[in-house]
Structure formats: structure tokens, C-alpha cells
């Protein structure tokens, strides 16, 4: 088996080398070849002097190499700061090949997965697929009287991907070692990230769980998530509700007045922004083929293989970014980028603020209405790149998603305004920070941090004592200085203890307030009210102690 795998990989490597030479990349072909590489002679179609651009030839190489390399190109198109914006735009044009698996093979896969005949599972199953992509194809069927879409993975696709990824790793390592300029791109690291992404896409069970989770989050919204038949879904088969509608591609190319483009743009963008800012779990591939329009202009989403995840801290950072951009405040925007560690070099702080000020002046007018435009230019031009700044992937995916939905929205409705929707959510979420539940959460986090610090402090002091005892750290101090040092330490510990007690009282009082039981005073639970009053008194005492001491 291993011999067959080696032969298969060698044949595939020969094919890769041949295609590289075909499109004028002889130097790369030489760097990845070894003594066992043999390929059929081929006339070069393009040379480096060809009128066809380098970026286009790169796209054609990936297109000719098939599924896995096409997917790699599509992934790289989401990293414009890495590959450059012109190449990223070119790679976004890559189209997946759409092989058709014969019905007999589809039937075998389904029956093998469920150990039942296809007629026992489905009331009816269409032999001809209604859609096909590089990884799988979709058939229309009926299950317990319900119309469903059955997505079946092409046989052998996993083996193809495994083999291609092995070769990608070999190629990346060879280029990393043989071409000095390749090291800055960390090609092995790119392949590793890509491998993680494509393996998720190959797992239909993962996609099913994503769809179910997103459906729960959006169940009360205007958008629609198709029902997943989880008991009939496996790693290789995904059964979901059949959507009787049209893709957004058809809406964009149609002049039919039954489509309310303004509503479609507003509802779709509203949902994506809510997914990003409120839920922190969002559909990260919002191209028109993954968005459907049903009867009454209901917007529905499909294909949940690529999802983004954002923690609460990053969502809060995003809210601040959007506010500062929409207000055209270069000073606060620069400060926020620094706080997010987008750049860490304090020496270029003033230069970056000046660059951002010029950028915002370009977009800021009587009514600022192009947050996505600023975000796009912020990462596209040299504003950040020339300072060696690399935007984290999570943030880059959000920006890419916002740019895509803004672009789609404006194609549907020229007056569409993403910024207005962003402003609505940022304002609501800022107000949410003052709700008792969120105050309780923040207080709990602060209390845990203080508790952790207080727990670790004795150990740190003991370690310091050991260092002193070992004679590794020497200093001399008089009795008066020692007494003063002792007083400072005592005051610090007392203030820290008082802060912990105050935080604990706030947390406890908040819990009592939320419980809303027992006697009431001025409309509030008595114990909770007293707890908050006592906490306020302790807080004032703590502030007075710090101010009185003077070094703060």
C-alpha cells in the first residue's frame, strides 16, 4: 500500500512540475524537483515575458492542479495582506471543478453509511444531481414526506486531499529552504492553516453542527436557516431541508419586481452584523451563491463549512473600532489599534495616527457612511503594511465579511448603508454594558482576577525571599528604610484586601438583586440594597486611602 502511495505521489509531483513549467514557472519547478521527478516534455505556453500577468498565470496553475489547490487559492484570497491585494483578487476568481459522481456510486455511499437500501431511507430520490461542487454534489429527495436536499461527498475526495496536502508540505518545505525570500511568507505555516480549514470542510458532520447552532441563535430573526436532519447526516452525507428559492446570484441578475432588493440588503446585512457583534459566531463565506431568497423575500443561508468565532473581548474591540471610524476620530482609532496590539512599536505611533487622519479625511464628510470603505483601504493600501503590521486572521476575516456584505448590499440597493446598521448595534451593545447582568459578569471577572492575584502574591514573596537568602540579590537598607518598606507593604496588602472584599460584596449583592426574593427596601431586595450601600462605603474608604497616600 505504501509503495502504491509513493508511486501515486510521485506521479502527482510530476504533474505539478509539468504544469508549473507549462505556465512559465521553471525556477519553482527546479526547486521542488528531486532526482526521481520525471515529467513528460511540454511546450511552454507562457514565459515570464508573456503579456499574461503573473497573477493570472498563478491562478491558472492552481486551476489546472484541481480541487485541493483551488481550495488553497481560495483560502489565500482571504489573506490579501500576505499575498498582496491584486493576487488576492485574482485568486478569488478561482472556480471549483464540478465532477459528477454516477448515481450507482452515490447509492452505494448512502447504503454503506446507513446499512439500509436507499429506498428504505427515502420516499423518493432523484438520480440526477441538482448541483455539484468539487467536494460533493446535491440530490433532491423526499424523507418522511418532506422535501430535502442530500449532499453526498465524492468518493475518493479525502484520499485526493490527503495526497495533495502531503505534497504541499513537501513543496512548502523545499521552497522555504531553497528560496531565501520565501521564508518571510512561512509557507509551511500557511499549508498547516489550510489543512485545518479544508479538513473541516470535508467533515459534513461539522457543517451540520454549525448550521444547527446558527439556527438556534437566529431562530427569532427574519432570516431562515434550513432544518438539518442530523439523524440522517454523517461525515460524508448531509441531509437538510430543501429550500424552494433562488440564489442571490439570480436576484442580482434579475429585473423581476417581485424581489424587494432594499429589504433583502437590509435583512441580510443586519443578520451578518448581528452574528458578528452579538453572537460572535458568524457565516464567514457570504458570497451570493451561499445566500438564497425564498418567497416573500425571505433571506436564507446555506453552506456552513466556514464559520468565524469571536470572543467577547474582540467583539468589544470591534465595537470601539466601528465607533471611532464612524466618528472620524483618528486619535481614538489609533489608540484602539495600539490597545489591540495591531501595532506595538510606540516609536511609529505618531506616524500611524497621521496616516489614519489622512485616510479618514478622505472618507469623512457631512455624513460619514463608509466604514467598510475605510476598513478596506486600511488593510489594502500601505497605511499599515509599510510599518510591518500584520492584522490577525480573526479580525481580517471579519473585515473581509463586512466588505463582502457591503458590496452585495450596494449591488442590491445603491442607497444601502452598512454604517447605519453598525451604529445601531454598537449603540445597543454599549447600553447593554450597563445592564445588571453584564455588570455582574464584569464584577465577577474583576473579582476572580483580584482573587488570583491575591492567591499568587504570597508565592511571589516567598520566591523573592529565597533569592535574598541565596545571596543572588544584594542590597543594603537602614532600619528607617526597612520600617518604611514594611509600612508600604502593609498598606498595599490592606488596600488589596479591601478591594477584594468590596468586589465580593458587589458580586454577592448583584446575585441577590437578580434573585429578587425576601423583603424589599425602596423597591429593591433588602439584603442586596444593604450590600450595595456597604460596598459603596468601602469603595469610598478605599479611594480616600489611595488619595491620602498620594502615589497613584
Amino acid at each position: 500500500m505504501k509503495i502504491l502511495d509513493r508511486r501515486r505521489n510521485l506521479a502527482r509531483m510530476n504533474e505539478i512540475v509539468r504544469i508549473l513549467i507549462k505556465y512559465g514557472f521553471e525556477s519553482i519547478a527546479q526547486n521542488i524537483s528531486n532526482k526521481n521527478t520525471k515529467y513528460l516534455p511540454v511546450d511552454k505556453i507562457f514565459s515570464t515575458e508573456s503579456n499574461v500577468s503573473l497573477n493570472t498565470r498563478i491562478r491558472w496553475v492552481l486551476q489546472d492542479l484541481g480541487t485541493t489547490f483551488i481550495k488553497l487559492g481560495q483560502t489565500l484570497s482571504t489573506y490579501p495582506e500576505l499575498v498582496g491585494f491584486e493576487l488576492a483578487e485574482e485568486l478569488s476568481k478561482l472556480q471549483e471543478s464540478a465532477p459528477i459522481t454516477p448515481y450507482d456510486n452515490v447509492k452505494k455511499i448512502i447504503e454503506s453509511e446507513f446499512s439500509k437500501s436507499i429506498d428504505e431511507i427515502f420516499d423518493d430520490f432523484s438520480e440526477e444531481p441538482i448541483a455539484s461542487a468539487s467536494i460533493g454534489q446535491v440530490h433532491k429527495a423526499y424523507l418522511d414526506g418532506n422535501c430535502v436536499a442530500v449532499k453526498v461527498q465524492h468518493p475518493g475526495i479525502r484520499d485526493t486531499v490527503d495526497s495533495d496536502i502531503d505534497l504541499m508540505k513537501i513543496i512548502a518545505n523545499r521552497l522555504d529552504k531553497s528560496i531565501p525570500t520565501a521564508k518571510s511568507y512561512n509557507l509551511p505555516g500557511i499549508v498547516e492553516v489550510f489543512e485545518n480549514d479544508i479538513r473541516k470542510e470535508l467533515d459534513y458532520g461539522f457543517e451540520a453542527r454549525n448550521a444547527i447552532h446558527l439556527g438556534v441563535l437566529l431562530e427569532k430573526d427574519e432570516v431562515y436557516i434550513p432544518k438539518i436532519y442530523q439523524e440522517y447526516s454523517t461525515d460524508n452525507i448531509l441531509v437538510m431541508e430543501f429550500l424552494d428559492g433562488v440564489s442571490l446570484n439570480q436576484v442580482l441578475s434579475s429585473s423581476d419586481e417581485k424581489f424587494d432588493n432594499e429589504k433583502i440588503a437590509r435583512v441580510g446585512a443586519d443578520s451578518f452584523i448581528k452574528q458578528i457583534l452579538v453572537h460572535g459566531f458568524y457565516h464567514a463565506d457570504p458570497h451570493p451563491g451561499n445566500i438564497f431568497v425564498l418567497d416573500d423575500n425571505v433571506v436564507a443561508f446555506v453552506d456552513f463549512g466556514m464559520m468565524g468565532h469571536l470572543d467577547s473581548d474582540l467583539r468589544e474591540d470591534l465595537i470601539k473600532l466601528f465607533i471611532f471610524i464612524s466618528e472620524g476620530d483618528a486619535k481614538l482609532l489609533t489608540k484602539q489599534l495600539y490597545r489591540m496590539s495591531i501595532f506595538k512599536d510606540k516609536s511609529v505611533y505618531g506616524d500611524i495616527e497621521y496616516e489614519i487622519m489622512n485616510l479618514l479625511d478622505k472618507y469623512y464628510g457631512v455624513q460619514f457612511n463608509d466604514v467598510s470603505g475605510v476598513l478596506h483601504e486600511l488593510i489594502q493600501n500601505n497605511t499599515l503594511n509599510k510599518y510591518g503590521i500584520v492584522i490577525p486572521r480573526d479580525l481580517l476575516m471579519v473585515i473581509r465579511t463586512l466588505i463582502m456584505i457591503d458590496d452585495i448590499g450596494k449591488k442590491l440597493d445603491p442607497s444601502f448603508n452598512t454604517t447605519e446598521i453598525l451604529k445601531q448595534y454598537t449603540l445597543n451593545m454599549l447600553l447593554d454594558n450597563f445592564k445588571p447582568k453584564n455588570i455582574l459578569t464584569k464584577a465577577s471577572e474583576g473579582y476572580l482576577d483580584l482573587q488570583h492575584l491575591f492567591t499568587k502574591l504570597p508565592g511571589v514573596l516567598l520566591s523573592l525571599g529565597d533569592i535574598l537568602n541565596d545571596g543572588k540579590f544584594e542590597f543594603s537598607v537602614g532600619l528607617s528604610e526597612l520600617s518604611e518598606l514594611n509600612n508600604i507593604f502593609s498598606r498595599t496588602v490592606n488596600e488589596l484586601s479591601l478591594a477584594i472584599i468590596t468586589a465580593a460584596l458587589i458580586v454577592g449583592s448583584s446575585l441577590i438583586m437578580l434573585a429578587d426574593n425576601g423583603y424589599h427596601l425602596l423597591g429593591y431586595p433588602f439584603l442586596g440594597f444593604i450590600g450595595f450601600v456597604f460596598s459603596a462605603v468601602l469603595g469610598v474608604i478605599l479611594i480616600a486611602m489611595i488619595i491620602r497616600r498620594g502615589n497613584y
Side-chain angles (χ1 to χ4, degrees):
M1 188 69 179
K2 290 183 178 180
I3 294 175
L4 288 175
D5 288 341
R6 282 200 296 270
R7 287 177 178 173
R8 189 184 302 115
N9 285 348
L10 181 58
R12 181 62 166 153
M13 181 65 86
N14 292 339
E15 181 185 9
I16 292 170
V17 169
R18 183 181 63 81
I19 289 174
L20 284 169
I21 293 174
K22 172 183 175 182
Y23 290 108
F25 295 100
E26 297 96 331
S27 61
I28 294 178
Q30 289 171 0
N31 278 296
I32 68 173
S33 300
N34 60 28
K35 62 182 180 180
N36 296 318
T37 305
K38 298 177 182 178
Y39 50 88
L40 296 174
V42 60
D43 292 332
K44 289 187 296 183
I45 296 179
F46 297 104
S47 67
T48 52
E49 291 79 23
S50 171
N51 291 329
V52 179
S53 72
L54 172 66
N55 293 337
T56 299
R57 289 188 287 125
I58 291 173
R59 174 169 65 84
W60 283 343
V61 166
L62 297 174
Q63 190 79 52
D64 279 12
L65 288 174
T67 299
T68 317
F69 287 85
I70 289 172
K71 292 288 186 184
L72 174 64
Q74 291 172 336
T75 299
L76 290 176
S77 72
T78 66
Y79 289 93
E81 85 294 351
L82 178 65
V83 300
F85 282 83
E86 290 183 0
L87 178 56
E89 186 176 353
E90 186 69 34
L91 294 178
S92 68
K93 301 175 185 176
L94 282 165
Q95 299 296 316
E96 299 178 23
S97 56
I100 301 295
T101 298
Y103 172 71
D104 287 343
N105 292 343
V106 170
K107 182 179 177 183
K108 286 178 184 177
I109 293 170
I110 293 173
E111 293 180 343
S112 174
E113 291 282 326
F114 296 108
S115 300
K116 292 181 181 179
S117 72
I118 196 168
D119 294 331
E120 289 181 86
I121 302 169
F122 298 102
D123 305 331
D124 184 52
F125 192 95
S126 173
E127 295 188 9
E128 293 297 321
I130 56 175
S132 182
S134 58
I135 287 178
Q137 63 191 49
V138 181
H139 291 257
K140 187 175 181 180
Y142 284 87
L143 178 65
D144 298 329
N146 299 308
C147 189
V148 296
V150 184
K151 193 155 119 177
V152 183
Q153 206 163 100
H154 295 306
I157 188 66
R158 288 175 185 266
D159 292 336
T160 299
V161 169
D162 288 344
S163 175
D164 281 349
I165 286 177
D166 286 343
L167 290 175
M168 283 180 186
K169 290 177 180 177
I170 293 171
I171 293 169
N173 286 323
R174 288 179 181 172
L175 292 177
D176 192 64
K177 292 177 181 177
S178 61
I179 302 177
T181 56
K183 285 190 176 296
S184 62
Y185 290 96
N186 187 17
L187 298 178
I190 291 174
V191 173
E192 184 179 345
V193 171
F194 168 69
E195 179 182 10
N196 182 57
D197 286 348
I198 196 170
R199 293 209 186 283
K200 287 179 181 177
E201 195 168 344
L202 285 167
D203 183 357
Y204 284 176
F206 175 76
E207 182 178 346
R209 292 188 293 274
N210 284 340
I212 292 169
H213 181 44
L214 189 64
V216 171
L217 294 176
L218 305 180
E219 62 182 345
K220 295 182 180 179
D221 294 0
E222 291 185 75
V223 298
Y224 193 78
I225 305 296
K227 176 185 176 181
I228 301 295
Y229 292 82
Q230 199 167 17
E231 64 274 26
Y232 294 99
S233 298
T234 68
D235 290 350
N236 300 309
I237 298 171
L238 177 61
V239 180
M240 68 172 67
E241 175 185 359
F242 182 83
L243 295 180
D244 189 11
V246 299
S247 78
L248 196 58
N249 277 321
Q250 292 173 264
V251 175
L252 289 169
S253 61
S254 172
S255 57
D256 196 327
E257 293 184 358
K258 73 175 182 179
F259 296 121
D260 186 343
N261 287 12
E262 183 180 346
K263 177 185 176 182
I264 294 168
R266 176 184 56 79
V267 171
D270 183 89
S271 178
F272 276 109
I273 292 171
K274 184 176 183 180
Q275 290 170 46
I276 292 168
L277 295 182
V278 178
H279 301 304
F281 182 77
Y282 65 98
H283 195 304
D285 193 18
H287 67 72
N290 286 339
I291 303 172
F292 273 64
V293 177
L294 313 181
D295 289 341
D296 298 323
N297 294 287
V298 173
V299 176
F301 304 133
V302 298
D303 197 345
F304 308 94
M306 185 185 294
M307 305 296 291
H309 301 259
L310 303 173
D311 60 31
S312 58
D313 289 339
L314 183 51
R315 296 204 301 274
E316 285 191 16
D317 285 334
L318 281 171
I319 289 169
K320 293 172 186 174
L321 277 181
F322 296 152
I323 290 173
F324 300 149
I325 291 175
S326 64
E327 294 298 323
D329 196 322
K331 185 177 290 294
L332 289 178
L333 178 56
T334 307
K335 185 176 289 186
Q336 180 61 21
L337 291 173
Y338 182 75
R339 286 175 175 170
M340 292 172 67
S341 297
I342 302 301
F343 71 96
K344 300 178 183 179
D345 187 356
K346 220 23 175 166
S347 66
V348 298
Y349 190 101
D351 294 331
I352 292 177
E353 182 179 335
Y354 181 75
E355 296 271 7
I356 290 175
M357 185 185 302
N358 288 334
L359 172 60
L360 293 179
D361 285 345
K362 177 179 177 180
Y363 283 86
Y364 199 83
V366 177
Q367 181 183 10
F368 190 85
N369 61 358
D370 201 358
V371 168
S372 63
V374 172
L375 291 173
H376 190 271
E377 190 157 341
L378 197 62
I379 61 173
Q380 180 171 357
N381 67 13
N382 291 327
T383 302
L384 299 181
N385 288 347
K386 67 183 178 184
Y387 295 105
I389 296 170
V390 177
I391 296 177
R393 190 189 185 207
D394 286 345
L395 180 56
L396 196 65
M397 283 181 67
V398 171
I399 293 174
R400 171 181 174 270
T401 301
L402 287 173
I403 290 171
M404 288 178 72
I405 63 174
D406 182 73
D407 181 59
I408 293 171
K410 285 184 168 61
K411 286 178 180 177
L412 286 166
D413 175 19
S415 65
F416 174 75
N417 193 334
T418 309
T419 304
E420 291 305 315
I421 301 175
L422 283 170
K423 279 185 176 180
Q424 173 190 333
Y425 276 101
T426 53
L427 177 61
N428 290 340
M429 292 183 74
L430 283 175
L431 294 175
D432 281 347
N433 286 332
F434 296 97
K435 290 183 178 179
K437 180 180 177 182
N438 292 326
I439 292 174
L440 171 62
T441 300
K442 294 293 184 184
S444 300
E445 290 174 358
Y447 170 67
L448 289 174
D449 289 340
L450 285 171
Q451 185 185 49
H452 176 74
L453 175 63
F454 195 66
T455 303
K456 293 291 183 183
L457 187 59
V460 174
L461 294 175
L462 286 173
S463 298
L464 179 60
D466 290 339
I467 293 172
L468 294 174
N469 289 333
D470 291 342
K472 295 177 181 177
F473 184 73
E474 296 181 1
F475 65 93
S476 61
V477 62
L479 286 175
S480 60
E481 286 88 352
L482 188 61
S483 176
E484 179 61 25
L485 185 63
N486 180 63
N487 290 335
I488 292 172
F489 178 72
S490 297
R491 286 199 303 267
T492 302
V493 171
N494 289 337
E495 291 169 7
L496 184 60
S497 301
L498 189 58
I500 292 173
I501 293 170
T502 303
L505 279 170
I506 291 173
V507 172
S509 302
S510 299
L511 289 171
I512 294 172
M513 285 287 193
L514 291 175
D516 200 28
N517 293 326
Y519 295 104
H520 285 66
L521 179 63
L522 300 178
Y524 298 99
F526 178 76
L527 290 177
F529 183 83
I530 295 300
F532 270 122
V533 171
F534 192 46
S535 300
V537 172
L538 288 180
V540 170
I541 292 172
L542 180 60
I543 292 169
M545 289 171 64
I546 294 171
I547 293 175
R548 184 179 176 185
R549 178 152 51 87
N551 53 334
Y552 49 86

